[in-house]
Amino acid sequence: MKTNSKKKTVKTTVVKRQSHQVRIIGGAWKRSLLSVVDAEGLRPTPDRVRETLFNWLNHLLHSNWTGVHCLDLFAGSGALGFEAASRGAAQVIMVEAHTPAYKQLEQVKDKLQASQCKLLRADALKAVESMANQPQKMDVIFLDPPFEQDWLGRILPACAQLLSPKGCIYVESEFSLAEPAGDEAANEKLAKLLSGWQLIRADKAGSVYFHILQRNILPHEAHENQA
């Protein structure tokens, strides 16, 4: 009986360790492990979803990450931001308010010697608002907020001010941005949420919906951007 009990304990320990790590899937740091702290609402983007996402981004960027500036809001484990840096992004700003998660990001940055990554311990919305008037615009914004807190309705309009003309924003959510919600009130809320945005890509993995959005550029804005 002692032997069986000991084996069971070892097995449980191994499973727990594996479930709290994610792996960088491409680029210079491919296969590097990132530890995930226990925190409410923290859901690292699964490998399969990140693989699909970065295939989308490679298509939009023509597989050229040189000069690309990224903003990773609600950075959590850093799986999205470090993945972008691994693939050659010029700069990745990672925003995280939860102190243990932020300290974990610091450790990973030091381990990878990721000098192109800038860490900010701040509320995501306040960080976006403070960056609104900066001259450097973002080419890719990763937006993976806690669910059921209406973060998208509050933060998407602010993100629009930070994007470069051809930039895109990745959004994870508990509901689809691509399909009508089923009732008139919900559909009106979705239309309002997507006002000023084009939905470029959309998919689902389990109960998580993920999307790529780009700004709807008005004719006069397009002309100004070409000037």
Side-chain angles (χ1 to χ4, degrees):
M1 295 297 293
K2 280 187 176 181
T3 303
N4 291 339
S5 175
K6 185 176 181 181
K7 286 183 178 179
K8 184 176 180 181
T9 302
V10 172
K11 181 178 179 181
T12 301
T13 302
V14 171
V15 170
K16 183 177 181 180
R17 185 178 69 246
Q18 290 175 341
S19 67
H20 286 76
Q21 290 180 326
V22 293
R23 190 183 302 272
I24 294 176
I25 58 177
W29 304 322
K30 185 176 181 179
R31 299 188 183 90
S32 295
L33 292 173
L34 310 179
S35 296
V36 182
V37 300
D38 288 317
E40 184 178 357
L42 197 159
R43 316 169 319 278
T45 303
D47 289 2
R48 185 171 72 83
V49 173
R50 277 185 289 126
E51 185 173 4
T52 299
L53 163 62
F54 280 88
N55 285 340
W56 289 347
L57 292 176
N58 280 334
H59 177 74
L60 292 171
L61 297 169
H62 306 290
S63 298
N64 182 10
W65 288 83
T66 304
V68 173
H69 290 255
C70 303
L71 174 62
D72 185 7
L73 298 169
F74 307 96
S77 68
L80 295 172
F82 287 123
E83 187 77 48
S86 178
R87 292 164 186 261
Q91 183 186 48
V92 181
I93 300 174
M94 307 171 75
V95 181
E96 177 55 55
H98 184 62
T99 298
Y102 179 86
K103 290 182 177 179
Q104 183 65 45
L105 292 174
E106 287 184 316
Q107 292 177 14
V108 175
K109 177 183 175 180
D110 290 343
K111 174 186 174 182
L112 298 176
Q113 298 182 346
S115 59
Q116 68 273 61
C117 295
K118 177 181 179 180
L119 306 182
L120 295 178
R121 182 162 49 186
D123 173 84
L125 182 56
K126 291 180 179 178
V128 168
E129 291 173 343
S130 70
M131 296 167 64
N133 296 320
Q134 69 177 18
Q136 178 63 59
K137 300 302 180 184
M138 297 293 130
D139 302 298
V140 179
I141 296 177
F142 299 106
L143 181 54
D144 179 14
F147 288 172
E148 308 293 347
Q149 297 183 28
D150 194 33
W151 273 105
L152 296 184
R154 288 180 283 158
I155 207 166
L156 266 178
C159 285
Q161 306 303 313
L162 291 181
L163 274 182
S164 61
K166 294 183 179 180
C168 64
I169 182 167
Y170 167 73
V171 178
E172 278 189 37
S173 59
E174 69 275 27
F175 56 90
S176 174
L177 303 183
E179 302 174 2
D183 63 83
E184 187 174 349
N187 290 339
E188 288 180 359
K189 183 178 180 180
L190 181 60
K192 182 179 179 180
L193 180 67
L194 293 178
S195 178
W197 296 98
Q198 287 183 324
L199 182 62
I200 305 300
R201 297 282 190 275
D203 206 343
K204 180 185 179 184
S207 60
V208 176
Y209 297 85
F210 54 105
H211 320 76
I212 293 283
L213 303 178
Q214 287 185 315
R215 290 178 57 206
N216 268 329
I217 302 295
L218 299 175
H220 74 274
E221 290 180 301
H223 177 73
E224 290 172 358
N225 292 329
Q226 293 172 358

